[in-house]
Amino acid sequence: MDLPRHHTIREGDQRIVNPFTAEKLAALGRAVRLRPGDTLLDLASGRGEMLCTWARDHHISGTGVDISTVAVDMSRRRAGELGVTDRVTFVHGDAGGYVADQRVDVAACIGATWIGGGVDGTVAVLERSLRPGGMLLVGEPYWRLDPPDQETVEACHATHRDDFDDLTGLLRRFHGLGWDVVEWMLADPDSWDRYAAPQWLTIRRWLDENPDDELAGQFRAELTADPLRHVRRREFLGWGVFALLKR
């Protein structure tokens, strides 16, 4: 059980593997008013930057779960760099099937709602580990503008227009599930750029060093096409983290 090699190569040494800058991630931690001693479960925790930096800055503790062995190793190293190994734990496993041994104050899935088959299922997965009165954090794309054609839909990592809601529809979805939206932090074009553009340099350097690798053709095609696709993504696709409290 692991992520494909292509995925980990493309994201290289990026610590935040969604369209958030470090500044936005820090601002989110302040916005949701974390308190010393709070516990956090981060499902599909990526490289562990959110849990590690929040443990350092807000004196919380928690567990991250991710399917990628590379990401889990990077998370554990990051915890050591920030001096929080006594407060955070990272588990290699299926985030969609994970339930915390003890209910937590905050349960998060940031940009990986595929673990529950979409927003609805992921909210249900997170709630299994949440204490009464606790907060959910859900990161999810949404349409900023209605995509005009299928080419734009596919440039935005979607198969169909209905794969994402617009922002109004996403808020209504949360409300329909019985949750109040109490905070949010939204990506902007610059934070989209800081997520996407570093991958192009990583890919190019990797191609220069590995021209005969079995993935070279796939990466060559991606490097040619992705900057053009990104122009559409930054215009049409939004992304944000939404803080939810049970109504």
Side-chain angles (χ1 to χ4, degrees), residues 109 113 118-120 122-123 126 136-142 165-184 240-247:
C109 179
T113 57
V119 171
D120 297 22
T122 299
V123 166
L126 292 171
L136 299 188
L137 298 177
V138 179
E140 179 70 2
Y142 60 88
D165 294 306
D166 62 13
L167 186 54
T168 299
L170 185 55
L171 298 186
R172 286 175 174 162
R173 181 180 296 276
F174 291 136
H175 292 161
L177 294 171
W179 296 82
D180 287 323
V181 178
V182 296
E183 254 292 3
W184 71 26
V241 178
F242 302 86
L244 312 176
L245 290 175
K246 192 77 170 180
R247 189 169 301 140

Side-chain angles (χ1 to χ4, degrees), residues 16-20 25 28 32 40-46 50-51 54 65-66 106-115 122 126 136-141 185 239-243:
I16 302 173
V17 287
N18 56 55
F20 257 16
L25 188 63
L28 176 65
V32 299
L40 187 152
L41 174 66
D42 189 6
L43 297 182
S45 54
M50 184 175 78
L51 183 52
W54 287 5
V65 183
D66 202 274
V106 182
C109 179
I110 307 301
T113 57
W114 50 264
I115 69 167
T122 299
L126 292 171
L136 299 188
L137 298 177
V138 179
E140 179 70 2
M185 191 69 60
W239 191 90
V241 178
F242 302 86

Side-chain angles (χ1 to χ4, degrees), residues 1-3 7-8 11 17 41-48 63-73 75-76 89-96 98 109-110 112 114-115:
M1 181 171 56
D2 211 335
L3 282 182
H7 187 87
T8 55
E11 292 179 338
V17 287
L41 174 66
D42 189 6
L43 297 182
S45 54
R47 278 88 190 275
T63 300
V65 183
D66 202 274
I67 197 173
S68 168
T69 54
V70 170
V72 170
D73 287 344
S75 299
R76 290 169 178 164
T89 301
F90 292 96
V91 177
H92 174 239
D94 175 13
Y98 189 89
C109 179
I110 307 301
W114 50 264
I115 69 167

Side-chain angles (χ1 to χ4, degrees), residues 219-228:
F219 273 128
R220 178 67 260 173
E222 184 172 328
L223 181 58
T224 300
D226 195 64
L228 297 174

Side-chain angles (χ1 to χ4, degrees), residues 39-243:
T39 54
L40 187 152
L41 174 66
D42 189 6
L43 297 182
S45 54
R47 278 88 190 275
E49 190 70 2
M50 184 175 78
L51 183 52
C52 289
T53 56
W54 287 5
R56 176 196 64 190
D57 297 341
H58 300 283
H59 306 286
I60 67 169
S61 61
T63 300
V65 183
D66 202 274
I67 197 173
S68 168
T69 54
V70 170
V72 170
D73 287 344
M74 291 179 70
S75 299
R76 290 169 178 164
R77 290 199 299 272
R78 186 60 168 159
E81 292 169 1
L82 298 185
V84 295
T85 54
D86 60 329
R87 280 181 270 147
V88 299
T89 301
F90 292 96
V91 177
H92 174 239
D94 175 13
Y98 189 89
V99 180
D101 293 336
Q102 296 184 339
R103 291 181 177 265
V104 298
D105 299 297
V106 182
C109 179
I110 307 301
T113 57
W114 50 264
I115 69 167
V119 171
D120 297 22
T122 299
V123 166
V125 168
L126 292 171
E127 191 174 7
R128 294 183 306 194
S129 296
L130 191 69
R131 68 162 177 82
M135 177 179 289
L136 299 188
L137 298 177
V138 179
E140 179 70 2
Y142 60 88
W143 293 117
R144 294 182 63 243
L145 299 172
D146 193 43
D149 50 41
Q150 184 63 19
E151 186 176 1
T152 302
V153 169
E154 293 176 3
C156 295
H157 303 301
T159 303
H160 305 288
R161 165 63 180 81
D162 293 341
D163 287 350
F164 306 135
D165 294 306
D166 62 13
L167 186 54
T168 299
L170 185 55
L171 298 186
R172 286 175 174 162
R173 181 180 296 276
F174 291 136
H175 292 161
L177 294 171
W179 296 82
D180 287 323
V181 178
V182 296
E183 254 292 3
W184 71 26
M185 191 69 60
L186 304 183
D188 55 33
D190 180 66
S191 53
W192 269 112
D193 291 344
R194 290 305 85 224
Y195 173 53
Q199 297 177 15
W200 307 333
L201 181 57
T202 296
I203 290 171
R204 176 53 197 267
R205 295 288 192 229
W206 185 90
L207 282 168
D208 290 345
E209 296 170 2
N210 301 275
D212 299 321
D213 191 276
E214 62 181 1
L215 294 178
Q218 180 179 351
F219 273 128
R220 178 67 260 173
E222 184 172 328
L223 181 58
T224 300
D226 195 64
L228 297 174
R229 290 195 296 258
H230 178 62
V231 173
R232 296 193 183 197
R233 279 197 299 271
R234 73 198 303 274
E235 179 179 3
F236 286 92
L237 192 62
W239 191 90
V241 178
F242 302 86

